[in-house]
Amino acid sequence: MKKAISIWSFSSAGTLEDKFRLAKDAGFAGFELELAASGPVAPASTPAELAAVRTLADRIGIELSGLATGLYWESNPASADAAVRERARQILERQIATAGALGIDAILVVPGTVGVDFIPGAEVVPYDVAWDRASAFVRGALPAAEKAGVRLCVENVWNKFLLSPLEMRQFVAQFGSDAVGAYFDVGNALAQGYPEQWISILGPAIRRVHCKDYRRAVGSISGFVDLLAGDVNWPAVMHSLRSAGYGGWLTAEMIPPVPFYRHAPETLIYNCARAMDALLAL
């Protein structure tokens, strides 16, 4: 397994080059980028701008391990509003094209939300309707993903959808395509169950893994803590990953770096790298 870190683990200060260099210096081999509304990797980025990002990563010596996006939270692919669903389709289209241009073979996809507690006034969608619309959303993007050699990795997130490993396995399997897999988030699974069980059930469907830790007693999104400081049974998780034959990226996603590290936030990156080394040694 290889060690990577998400761009969301960094403070907002500094350039992308600063973040690449910090990640490299801390010992990470990979870096997960974000398709953001604006910035160096955005829907409006030109081929030349994306080529510059690729060149920068190559020069610093860090691999681009994945491409996430937070844009789905405001553009629910399962929305009752056709215009919102169309925005989501365009986001996924750009995500696939951007990953292809950057040489990234997997993207994080949130195919739909039933509800989102941390977004005031978020639309609530009937679960069965969300399943149908999310399935159509992924299916519609399959030709482009397969052509680009980009895997659509569906993540278990706080969207009140795909709440069990059996559901996630069924959702991914229905497409019958190697271009669709699971992006398993260890910390996200802890609120509803046991990450090691998710891993055993999903098995080879897992194409990417996010490493986060969580304290169940908090019971809200504020429960995320530093790696090794929460309730994740990391020995069991690492055993399950090895038993499943997983050998891909383990990506630390430390959200948010503030307020946990109000001062010297770069310390989080070094601490996280040490914690990841400890996980890999389990």
Side-chain angles (χ1 to χ4, degrees), residues 13-93:
T15 65
L16 184 59
E17 180 173 356
D18 294 333
K19 294 175 173 64
F20 281 171
R21 291 191 181 281
L22 177 55
K24 177 71 174 179
D25 186 64
F28 288 99
F31 193 101
E32 183 171 74
L33 288 166
E34 170 196 18
L35 182 72
S38 60
V41 181
S45 295
T46 66
E49 289 169 334
L50 295 176
V53 171
R54 173 80 263 175
T55 299
L56 176 63
D58 290 343
R59 177 161 53 84
I60 291 172
I62 196 158
E63 190 171 345
L64 299 180
S65 58
L67 180 65
T69 184
L71 297 177
Y72 294 119
W73 293 118
E74 295 182 357
S75 298
N76 180 4
S79 173
D81 188 332
V84 174
R85 296 200 303 273
E86 173 59 19
R87 286 205 308 269
R89 187 197 66 77
Q90 292 175 10
I91 290 167
L92 181 52
E93 180 181 80

Side-chain angles (χ1 to χ4, degrees), residues 66-145:
L67 180 65
T69 184
L71 297 177
Y72 294 119
W73 293 118
E74 295 182 357
S75 298
N76 180 4
S79 173
D81 188 332
V84 174
R85 296 200 303 273
E86 173 59 19
R87 286 205 308 269
R89 187 197 66 77
Q90 292 175 10
I91 290 167
L92 181 52
E93 180 181 80
R94 289 307 305 155
Q95 211 180 348
I96 292 168
T98 300
L102 290 168
I104 296 171
D105 67 352
I107 63 175
L108 186 156
V109 177
V110 179
T113 63
V114 171
V116 189
D117 288 342
F118 56 87
I119 299 179
E123 178 184 7
V124 176
V125 180
Y127 204 112
D128 55 342
V129 174
W131 179 284
D132 291 342
R133 290 175 180 159
S135 299
F137 176 67
V138 173
R139 190 171 289 108
L142 263 180

